[in-house]
Coordinates of all heavy atoms in Angstrom, one line a residue:
Y402 N 22.1 -13.7 -17.5 CA 21.6 -14.9 -16.9 C 22.2 -16.2 -17.4 O 22.2 -17.2 -16.7 CB 20.0 -15.0 -17.1 CG 19.3 -13.9 -16.4 CD1 18.0 -13.6 -16.7 CD2 19.9 -13.1 -15.5 CE1 17.3 -12.6 -16.0 CE2 19.2 -12.1 -14.8 CZ 17.9 -11.8 -15.1 OH 17.2 -10.8 -14.5
N403 N 22.8 -16.2 -18.6 CA 23.3 -17.4 -19.2 C 24.7 -17.8 -18.6 O 25.2 -18.9 -18.8 CB 23.5 -17.3 -20.7 CG 24.3 -16.1 -21.2 OD1 24.6 -15.2 -20.4 ND2 24.7 -16.1 -22.4
I404 N 25.3 -16.9 -17.8 CA 26.6 -17.2 -17.2 C 26.5 -16.9 -15.7 O 27.6 -16.7 -15.0 CB 27.8 -16.5 -17.8 CG1 27.6 -14.9 -17.8 CG2 28.0 -17.0 -19.2 CD1 28.9 -14.2 -18.1
S405 N 25.3 -16.8 -15.1 CA 25.2 -16.3 -13.7 C 25.9 -17.3 -12.7 O 26.6 -16.8 -11.8 CB 23.8 -16.1 -13.3 OG 23.0 -17.3 -13.5
S406 N 25.7 -18.6 -12.9 CA 26.4 -19.5 -12.0 C 27.9 -19.4 -12.1 O 28.6 -19.5 -11.1 CB 25.9 -21.0 -12.3 OG 24.6 -21.1 -12.0
Q407 N 28.4 -19.3 -13.4 CA 29.9 -19.1 -13.6 C 30.4 -17.9 -12.9 O 31.5 -17.9 -12.3 CB 30.2 -19.1 -15.1 CG 29.9 -20.3 -15.8 CD 29.9 -20.1 -17.3 OE1 28.9 -19.9 -17.9 NE2 31.1 -20.2 -17.9
I408 N 29.6 -16.8 -12.9 CA 30.0 -15.6 -12.2 C 30.1 -15.8 -10.7 O 31.1 -15.4 -10.1 CB 29.0 -14.5 -12.5 CG1 29.1 -14.0 -13.9 CG2 29.1 -13.3 -11.5 CD1 28.0 -13.0 -14.4
L409 N 29.2 -16.5 -10.2 CA 29.2 -16.8 -8.7 C 30.4 -17.7 -8.3 O 31.0 -17.5 -7.3 CB 27.8 -17.5 -8.3 CG 26.7 -16.5 -8.3 CD1 25.3 -17.2 -8.2 CD2 26.8 -15.5 -7.1
F410 N 30.7 -18.7 -9.1 CA 31.8 -19.5 -8.8 C 33.1 -18.8 -9.0 O 34.1 -19.0 -8.2 CB 31.8 -20.8 -9.7 CG 30.9 -21.9 -9.2 CD1 29.7 -22.2 -9.8 CD2 31.2 -22.6 -8.0 CE1 28.8 -23.1 -9.3 CE2 30.4 -23.6 -7.5 CZ 29.2 -23.8 -8.1
K411 N 33.2 -17.8 -9.9 CA 34.4 -17.0 -10.0 C 34.5 -16.1 -8.8 O 35.7 -16.0 -8.3 CB 34.2 -16.1 -11.3 CG 35.2 -14.9 -11.4 CD 36.4 -15.3 -12.2 CE 37.3 -14.1 -12.4 NZ 38.5 -14.4 -13.2
I412 N 33.4 -15.6 -8.3 CA 33.5 -14.9 -7.0 C 33.9 -15.7 -5.8 O 34.8 -15.3 -5.0 CB 32.1 -14.2 -6.7 CG1 31.8 -13.1 -7.8 CG2 32.0 -13.7 -5.3 CD1 30.4 -12.6 -7.8
L413 N 33.4 -17.0 -5.8 CA 33.8 -17.9 -4.7 C 35.3 -18.2 -4.8 O 36.0 -18.2 -3.7 CB 33.0 -19.2 -4.9 CG 31.6 -19.2 -4.3 CD1 30.9 -20.4 -4.7 CD2 31.7 -19.1 -2.7
E414 N 35.9 -18.3 -6.0 CA 37.3 -18.6 -6.1 C 38.1 -17.4 -5.6 O 39.3 -17.6 -5.1 CB 37.6 -18.8 -7.6 CG 37.1 -20.2 -8.1 CD 37.3 -20.2 -9.6 OE1 38.0 -19.4 -10.2 OE2 36.7 -21.2 -10.2
N415 N 37.5 -16.2 -5.6 CA 38.3 -15.0 -5.2 C 37.6 -14.4 -3.9 O 37.7 -13.2 -3.7 CB 38.3 -14.0 -6.3 CG 39.0 -14.5 -7.5 OD1 40.2 -14.3 -7.6 ND2 38.3 -15.1 -8.5
R416 N 37.0 -15.3 -3.1 CA 36.2 -14.8 -2.0 C 37.0 -13.9 -1.0 O 36.4 -13.1 -0.3 CB 35.6 -16.0 -1.3 CG 36.6 -17.0 -0.8 CD 35.9 -18.3 -0.3 NE 36.8 -19.4 0.1 CZ 37.3 -20.3 -0.8 NH1 36.9 -20.2 -2.1 NH2 38.1 -21.2 -0.4
Q417 N 38.3 -14.2 -0.9 CA 39.1 -13.4 0.1 C 39.2 -11.9 -0.3 O 39.6 -11.1 0.5 CB 40.5 -14.0 0.3 CG 40.5 -15.5 0.6 CD 39.9 -15.9 1.9 OE1 39.0 -15.2 2.4 NE2 40.3 -17.0 2.5
Q418 N 39.0 -11.7 -1.6 CA 39.2 -10.3 -2.2 C 37.8 -9.6 -2.4 O 37.8 -8.4 -2.7 CB 39.9 -10.4 -3.5 CG 40.7 -9.1 -3.8 CD 41.5 -9.3 -5.1 OE1 41.6 -10.3 -5.7 NE2 42.0 -8.2 -5.6
V419 N 36.7 -10.4 -2.2 CA 35.4 -9.8 -2.5 C 34.5 -9.8 -1.3 O 33.8 -10.8 -1.0 CB 34.7 -10.5 -3.7 CG1 33.4 -9.9 -4.1 CG2 35.6 -10.6 -4.9
P420 N 34.4 -8.7 -0.5 CA 33.6 -8.7 0.7 C 32.1 -8.6 0.5 O 31.3 -8.9 1.4 CB 34.2 -7.6 1.5 CG 34.8 -6.7 0.5 CD 35.3 -7.5 -0.7
E421 N 31.7 -8.1 -0.7 CA 30.3 -7.9 -0.9 C 29.9 -8.0 -2.4 O 30.7 -7.5 -3.2 CB 29.8 -6.5 -0.3 CG 28.3 -6.3 -0.4 CD 27.9 -5.0 0.3 OE1 28.6 -4.0 0.2 OE2 26.8 -5.0 0.8
V422 N 28.8 -8.5 -2.6 CA 28.2 -8.7 -4.0 C 26.8 -8.3 -3.9 O 26.0 -8.8 -3.1 CB 28.4 -10.1 -4.5 CG1 27.8 -10.2 -6.0 CG2 29.8 -10.6 -4.5
V423 N 26.3 -7.5 -4.9 CA 24.9 -7.2 -5.0 C 24.6 -7.4 -6.5 O 25.3 -6.9 -7.4 CB 24.5 -5.7 -4.7 CG1 23.1 -5.4 -5.1 CG2 24.7 -5.5 -3.2
G424 N 23.6 -8.3 -6.8 CA 23.4 -8.6 -8.2 C 22.0 -9.0 -8.5 O 21.3 -9.5 -7.7
M425 N 21.7 -8.8 -9.8 CA 20.4 -9.2 -10.3 C 20.6 -10.6 -11.0 O 21.5 -10.7 -11.9 CB 19.9 -8.2 -11.4 CG 18.6 -8.6 -12.1 SD 17.2 -7.8 -11.4 CE 17.5 -6.1 -12.0
F426 N 19.8 -11.5 -10.7 CA 19.8 -12.8 -11.2 C 18.4 -13.3 -11.6 O 17.4 -12.7 -11.2 CB 20.3 -13.8 -10.2 CG 21.8 -13.6 -9.8 CD1 22.1 -12.8 -8.7 CD2 22.8 -14.3 -10.4 CE1 23.4 -12.6 -8.3 CE2 24.1 -14.1 -10.1 CZ 24.4 -13.2 -9.0
Q427 N 18.4 -14.3 -12.4 CA 17.1 -15.0 -12.7 C 16.6 -15.4 -11.3 O 17.3 -15.9 -10.4 CB 17.3 -16.2 -13.5 CG 16.1 -17.0 -13.9 CD 16.3 -18.1 -14.9 OE1 17.3 -18.1 -15.7 NE2 15.5 -19.2 -14.8
K428 N 15.3 -15.3 -11.0 CA 14.7 -15.5 -9.7 C 15.0 -16.9 -9.2 O 15.3 -17.1 -8.0 CB 13.2 -15.3 -9.8 CG 12.5 -15.4 -8.4 CD 11.0 -15.0 -8.5 CE 10.4 -14.9 -7.2 NZ 10.0 -16.3 -6.7
E429 N 15.0 -17.9 -10.1 CA 15.3 -19.3 -9.7 C 16.7 -19.4 -9.2 O 17.0 -20.2 -8.2 CB 15.1 -20.2 -11.0 CG 15.4 -21.6 -10.8 CD 15.3 -22.4 -12.1 OE1 14.3 -22.2 -12.8 OE2 16.1 -23.2 -12.3
V430 N 17.7 -18.7 -9.8 CA 19.1 -18.8 -9.3 C 19.2 -18.1 -8.0 O 19.9 -18.6 -7.1 CB 20.0 -18.2 -10.4 CG1 21.5 -18.1 -9.8 CG2 20.0 -19.0 -11.6

């Protein structure tokens, strides 16, 4: 949870290579 936003931005940067993400996050995020 302490790096969840960073994980999502990393995925966004590589969005052409990542067609699907399933993840557990803090409910607020």
Side-chain angles (χ1 to χ4, degrees):
Y402 294 169
N403 57 343
I404 59 166
S405 56
S406 291
Q407 293 166 266
I408 287 172
L409 288 166
F410 279 106
K411 168 90 171 180
I412 290 166
L413 278 167
E414 289 169 10
N415 296 272
R416 56 190 176 273
Q417 309 296 26
Q418 205 177 352
V419 184
E421 185 173 34
V422 181
V423 170
M425 177 100 71
F426 293 90
Q427 183 176 332
K428 187 172 185 283
E429 179 183 315
V430 174

